[in-house]
Amino acid sequence: MGIRLHEKLWFDVGVMPSYIGFESWYGRDCSNLTRSLLAENSPYFFTGGKFTFNPNPKWEIQLWLTNGWQNIVRDEENKSLGIGGGIKFIPTEDFTINYSNYFGNENPNPVRLNRFFNNFYAMYEKNQWTAILGADYGIQQTLRDGCDSRVWLIASLKRELGNKFELAGRAEFYSDPNAIILSEGIKVSGFSANMDYSISKAALLRVKARKFISPDAIFSLPDAGFSQRNFALTGSLAVWF
């Protein structure tokens, strides 16, 4: 639900798409068939309220108060709220720069472990090309009276080939060795390429090849072994009305 408080100020409340990152929760709106590790391990949505201020067409400023890191409601043992903000700058119609952050307690009471998550991306769209560079930087308190910090990186490039075909590639790096975000520690690099074919205005066929490489043998094999590499070929047919 949205309320217009002023000509340049809006207030929205409810379950809303995440303001962190550039990838949509609608797969067909993303350059790549599968979401990046950065996007998969940051919120798809937030529940709460946000103020949006547009001082002019080049700037958008948001302030969020939420139920935490991708929570519909907070756990009974952790009623802490999350706060966040975002600044988007569009200097030209082809170029977008965005910064957003989140701060909140992600641990049940009485122990409080604060998380401060930062996301930055720059997007350039010109003619048939789309190029994106992104980085996440997260800090979280640990039970050892210290802090754990991590950096995640991504680069994506897309090229339209006429009205029907698109090619896209992506390189990414994700590191969470102490399992702050994930349930198990991980350090991995990923590379992928996909081709899209627009069947019609309401149907999209996509094929993608994706490879992960890790310094540790973390990928399971059919014979119960483990490997440092993983390869997958994925396809999808999306239809919308």
Side-chain angles (χ1 to χ4, degrees):
M1 182 180 69
I3 303 172
R4 188 168 187 168
L5 303 176
H6 183 268
E7 180 182 354
K8 299 180 179 180
L9 181 64
W10 286 83
F11 176 71
D12 296 273
V13 64
V15 181
M16 293 170 282
S18 173
Y19 61 96
I20 295 175
F22 59 85
E23 294 184 57
S24 171
W25 60 358
Y26 297 110
R28 64 181 174 88
D29 295 332
C30 298
S31 297
N32 300 89
L33 168 56
T34 58
R35 285 164 57 92
S36 67
L37 292 175
L38 282 73
E40 288 287 18
N41 295 294
S42 61
Y44 278 70
F45 66 87
F46 283 96
T47 304
K50 71 169 179 177
F51 289 94
T52 303
F53 178 54
N54 296 104
N56 59 58
K58 292 188 175 183
W59 289 91
E60 179 182 273
I61 302 171
Q62 292 187 349
L63 177 65
W64 287 70
L65 181 64
T66 73
N67 281 336
W69 185 266
Q70 189 160 284
N71 294 311
I72 297 293
V73 295
R74 296 298 281 175
D75 187 274
E76 287 297 325
E77 297 182 359
N78 182 8
K79 292 295 186 180
S80 303
L81 295 177
I83 59 175
I87 299 176
K88 181 179 292 184
F89 177 47
I90 308 175
T92 69
E93 64 179 10
D94 307 319
F95 191 44
T96 300
I97 301 172
N98 186 90
Y99 167 74
S100 55
N101 59 35
Y102 169 86
F103 180 83
N105 169 36
E106 297 307 311
N107 199 68
N109 294 326
V111 178
R112 185 180 181 91
L113 299 178
N114 291 319
R115 174 177 298 172
F116 183 44
F117 188 87
N118 303 266
N119 169 261
F120 169 84
Y121 70 82
M123 180 185 301
Y124 180 74
E125 300 176 280
K126 183 72 171 182
N127 298 327
Q128 293 82 26
W129 291 94
T130 300
I132 306 171
L133 293 176
D136 289 350
Y137 178 65
I139 307 171
Q140 181 162 314
Q141 292 177 310
T142 68
L143 294 173
R144 301 182 300 275
D145 296 326
C147 289
D148 195 323
S149 62
R150 290 288 174 261
V151 176
W152 304 280
L153 304 171
I154 185 172
S156 176
L157 184 65
K158 182 177 74 172
R159 164 74 174 180
E160 297 178 8
L161 302 175
N163 298 323
K164 291 291 186 179
F165 287 93
E166 290 184 354
L167 296 176
R170 182 175 65 203
E172 55 187 319
F173 172 75
Y174 194 91
S175 177
D176 185 21
N178 295 326
I180 299 298
I181 300 294
L182 304 176
S183 58
E184 295 183 5
I186 173 182
K187 179 182 289 186
V188 65
S189 299
F191 306 92
S192 61
N194 66 269
M195 182 178 70
D196 301 347
Y197 174 66
S198 180
I199 301 173
S200 69
K201 292 183 178 180
L204 181 65
L205 179 65
R206 316 185 80 179
V207 178
K208 177 175 182 176
R210 190 179 195 183
K211 185 172 185 177
F212 288 126
I213 303 172
S214 173
D216 305 309
I218 60 173
F219 303 106
S220 59
L221 298 173
D223 59 359
F226 290 88
S227 172
Q228 294 176 294
R229 291 173 173 79
N230 176 270
F231 176 81
L233 187 63
T234 307
S236 79
L237 174 63
V239 180
W240 56 95
F241 304 93

